[in-house]
Amino acid sequence: MSETPICSAKGCRADAVWVLAWNNPKIHTPERRKTWLACAEHREHLSQFLGVRGFLKDVVKFEDWEAPEGS
């Protein structure tokens, strides 16, 4: 079994290379960060989905991502 994280896009099984950090201000405290993982192909689509809703906070290369304390 692979330990490599996979893309969060529906039906995609590609390796994740991006972390999309997001927050829904209606239900999360301002410092809370939820994450979706994205392959190169789905990064833009997932970013746009979160962005038009005002949820997207950051996009970081998977290898550079450090989860905030308490996540």
Side-chain angles (χ1 to χ4, degrees):
M1 178 173 228
S2 174
E3 302 240 349
T4 304
I6 60 166
C7 181
S8 298
K10 186 175 183 177
C12 185
R13 303 302 297 163
D15 291 351
V17 293
W18 295 97
V19 175
L20 285 62
W22 61 277
N23 165 304
N24 179 341
K26 291 183 180 178
I27 60 174
H28 301 126
T29 59
E31 65 280 352
R32 176 88 186 268
R33 292 295 179 265
K34 303 284 285 177
T35 56
W36 281 355
L37 303 178
C39 65
E41 181 182 347
H42 289 114
R43 181 185 68 99
E44 188 62 32
H45 172 74
L46 294 173
S47 294
Q48 285 180 352
F49 179 89
L50 293 168
V52 298
R53 289 159 179 79
F55 295 175
L56 187 62
K57 302 300 179 190
D58 204 4
V59 178
V60 179
K61 287 286 264 183
F62 183 81
E63 66 231 25
D64 297 332
W65 174 253
E66 292 183 27
E69 291 284 322
S71 290

